[in-house]
Amino acid sequence: LPDWRTLSLFGVGAVLMRGAGCTVNDMWDRDYDRKVARTASRPLAAGDISTFQSFVFLGGQLSLALCVLLCLNYYSIVLGAASLSLVVTYPLMKRITYWPQLVLGLTFNWGALLGWSAIRGSCEWSVCLPLYLAGVMWTLVYDTIYAHQDKRDDIVIGVKSTALQFKEDTKQWLSGFSLVMLLSLCMTGMNCNQTFPYYSAVAAIGAHLAHQIYTLDIDKPEDCWKKFASNRTVGVMLFTGIVLGNL
């Protein structure tokens, strides 16, 4: 079974660092968010809290996250600290490139590297890199779907995204990302001697993504949100497959 102390640390750390990323994002985008119907009610955009208050809140998130990081080994502390530059800068990417979802993937999946180093004291790159790549591809899938909700507003205000880049070819791109994700998960499993339950979970994830992409309507924001949110099932299936595979 997994080490519950480490699982708890990573659970808390994930909430804090993803939360910090969202706080930074809202701080960078407060002027943009006011112009988008779906995000106009966010606290910073709506003026419910000040920029100073958001800095204080961000400081609290990062301070607690540092406490979690200091519970890990030295290698993991350095590796975890290295992700901070990505957390701070990824919200800017939507102003520069049509691929901000790629930078988001590089940011949000850092735990694929950190989790291994927290247990082993270093990274086994033959396992960690394909797992990291799988996470990046997964983020490209769900966040491209997410971006289709706001594409009309994004065109008006000048924000870039993969949704605007791919347009009507979105499903082909999502299928390609999903294929790379599944192959990377299989490579990860082979390089750390995973067993049948793990590969069964990967197959179930493949079926879930295929159905998600096939039934997606990129022109209906409510359907995009539904498909985006269904990716929590992917995470649950992969976690369950890893645990059962190890057992």
Side-chain angles (χ1 to χ4, degrees):
L1 285 169
D3 174 10
W4 289 102
R5 176 183 176 275
T6 306
L7 267 184
S8 299
L9 283 173
F10 269 78
V12 172
V15 170
L16 289 170
M17 284 308 295
R18 287 188 176 222
C22 291
T23 302
V24 171
N25 184 72
D26 283 4
M27 290 167 70
W28 281 120
D29 287 354
R30 59 187 181 277
D31 293 330
Y32 284 133
D33 286 345
R34 293 187 184 109
K35 301 172 185 176
V36 178
R38 190 178 57 81
T39 59
S41 61
R42 288 179 177 176
L44 264 172
D48 295 333
I49 61 173
S50 66
T51 302
F52 175 76
Q53 287 174 310
S54 65
F55 266 114
V56 172
F57 183 63
L58 177 63
Q61 289 175 303
L62 293 176
S63 298
L64 291 172
L66 178 61
C67 292
V68 172
L69 191 62
L70 293 175
C71 294
L72 307 180
N73 55 59
Y74 180 73
Y75 184 99
S76 299
I77 291 172
V78 174
L79 184 63
S83 70
L84 196 58
S85 59
L86 283 170
V87 173
V88 172
T89 57
Y90 91 82
L92 291 173
M93 294 301 109
K94 69 187 72 172
R95 296 159 171 79
I96 301 169
T97 174
Y98 281 99
W99 290 81
Q101 280 71 24
L102 176 60
V103 183
L104 180 68
L106 295 172
T107 307
F108 268 15
N109 294 285
W110 202 258
L113 310 177
L114 197 58
W116 188 278
S117 73
I119 300 296
R120 297 292 181 88
S122 63
C123 283
E124 176 61 55
W125 296 110
S126 65
V127 177
C128 293
L129 283 182
L131 182 61
Y132 185 50
L133 177 61
V136 173
M137 293 297 106
W138 181 28
T139 303
L140 277 164
V141 171
Y142 67 67
D143 208 61
T144 297
I145 294 172
Y146 183 88
H148 270 286
Q149 296 178 99
D150 301 328
K151 58 188 175 186
R152 293 179 180 84
D153 289 323
D154 288 348
I155 291 171
V156 173
I157 63 179
V159 168
K160 299 176 174 67
S161 71
T162 46
L164 296 178
Q165 176 72 20
F166 302 154
K167 299 177 183 175
E168 298 306 315
D169 294 330
T170 290
K171 290 191 177 185
Q172 291 94 308
W173 281 93
L174 297 184
S175 299
F177 295 145
S178 298
L179 180 60
V180 176
M181 173 189 173
L182 295 170
L183 291 174
S184 298
L185 288 175
C186 288
M187 185 182 297
T188 301
M190 288 186 289
N191 289 341
C192 62
N193 302 311
Q194 265 295 355
T195 57
F196 177 73
Y198 172 83
Y199 295 107
S200 299
V202 173
I205 289 169
H208 177 91
L209 290 173
H211 178 264
Q212 178 176 292
I213 294 167
Y214 181 74
T215 59
L216 173 66
D217 187 338
I218 60 173
D219 295 319
K220 288 187 177 180
E222 62 276 10
D223 188 60
C224 292
W225 172 260
K226 181 180 176 182
K227 297 301 193 302
F228 164 76
S230 76
N231 280 276
R232 67 169 72 93
T233 305
V234 175
V236 170
M237 287 192 291
L238 182 60
F239 177 76
T240 302
I242 292 170
V243 173
L244 295 179
N246 286 343
L247 286 174

